[in-house]
Amino acid sequence: MKILVIEDDLTTREFVARGLREHGFVVDEAEDGHQGLMMATSCEYQLIVLDRMLPQLDGLKVLAALRATDNHTPVLILSAMDSVEDRVVGLTAGSDDYLTKPFALAELVARAKILVKRNQLVAIVSSEYTYDDLRLDIKSHRVWRGSRLINLQQKEFLLLQYLMEHVESVVSRMSLFESVWSYHFDPKTNVIDVHIANLRKKLEQEGESSLIHTVRGAGYVLRRV
């Protein structure tokens, strides 16, 4: 299993890389955003550990560039920016987890293993889900409503996949957050609401029925009206 660590601070980069190697990962290292992006797009990795504040190209721009090219490699952001708003920005931008500095190496390794394992499990589940006129294909990473192809961001896709896996069952905000981001749920975080709102706009164009419904005090459900 191969991991790319993009971190400009040499001490931190070597600390992270050494810890991951001790747990059996093959690790490549990049010292700035431009180099990291070039490596991430030219080689296949099971995880990218990405510092948020980088020279040449900052971490969020690296992440945006990856997602824009349909690269869905799991990304774990490292950052000294530790407010709720900072974490929401990082997660909304398309990262799979967000770990603030300073951090314990054991926690970073544990989160890395979870992200890698989850990504492997996605590859072996049923490749297609259908409900009403909605169809989601995991292998091609595409979604259709009838004949209309819908372009979704990575997190929107994973949220919809989770809802389709639990179709007509109410799922809590906590379960959605922890399943899609593998990150401890923070009740002050509105990242779920932002992504659900964006997902609804893309799924429900004029004349199309609503499929994602809010159940007050409980969560969300995918079902016909």
Side-chain angles (χ1 to χ4, degrees), residues 20-217:
L20 290 170
R21 290 183 181 118
E22 288 174 353
H23 284 80
F25 293 102
V26 175
V27 181
D28 287 345
E29 302 175 40
E31 62 183 15
D32 62 59
H34 183 265
Q35 181 188 26
L37 180 60
M38 294 295 290
M39 294 174 68
T41 54
S42 61
C43 185
E44 183 176 345
Y45 294 97
Q46 281 66 58
L47 175 67
I48 298 171
V49 178
L50 177 65
D51 184 35
R52 181 163 170 178
M53 299 182 70
L54 291 166
Q56 304 295 328
L57 196 64
D58 72 62
L60 293 185
K61 289 182 179 178
V62 171
L63 180 57
L66 286 173
R67 298 313 188 217
T69 59
D70 213 29
N71 184 316
H72 303 295
T73 303
V75 172
L76 167 59
I77 287 182
L78 296 180
S79 179
M81 303 171 69
D82 60 358
S83 71
V84 172
E85 292 76 16
D86 291 326
R87 297 199 301 272
V88 168
V89 168
L91 294 168
T92 305
S95 71
D96 297 83
D97 203 347
Y98 193 106
L99 184 60
T100 58
K101 300 178 181 180
F103 56 86
L105 181 61
E107 181 178 6
L108 184 145
V109 171
R111 293 187 183 214
K113 289 180 177 179
I114 289 170
L115 290 172
V116 169
K117 182 177 180 180
R118 188 187 69 188
N119 199 49
Q120 291 173 331
L121 289 174
V122 167
I124 63 175
V125 298
S126 174
S127 65
E128 186 171 296
Y129 296 92
T130 59
Y131 181 73
D132 198 33
D133 60 348
L134 189 63
R135 181 161 60 96
L136 178 148
D137 187 89
I138 293 174
K139 289 183 178 179
S140 66
H141 205 269
R142 290 183 176 182
V143 172
W144 295 265
R145 180 108 195 237
S147 60
R148 179 170 65 87
L149 179 63
I150 304 170
N151 181 32
L152 297 182
Q153 294 182 358
Q154 170 73 348
K155 287 297 176 291
E156 294 166 351
F157 184 90
L158 293 174
L159 282 171
L160 180 59
Q161 180 182 333
Y162 190 85
L163 288 168
M164 294 188 79
E165 288 171 351
H166 300 82
V167 67
E168 297 190 357
S169 297
V170 178
V171 294
S172 67
R173 292 174 70 247
M174 179 183 295
S175 63
L176 280 170
F177 192 90
E178 294 184 345
S179 296
V180 172
W181 278 274
S182 296
Y183 185 79
H184 183 66
F185 179 73
D186 186 336
K188 294 180 290 185
T189 296
N190 69 343
V191 66
I192 288 290
D193 308 285
V194 171
H195 279 80
I196 288 291
N198 291 337
L199 186 55
R200 280 173 169 153
K201 289 178 183 177
K202 293 180 179 181
L203 293 182
E204 301 164 8
Q205 292 193 348
E206 185 176 356
E208 294 177 327
S209 60
S210 299
L211 287 175
I212 299 176
H213 306 276
T214 301
V215 180
R216 189 174 298 277

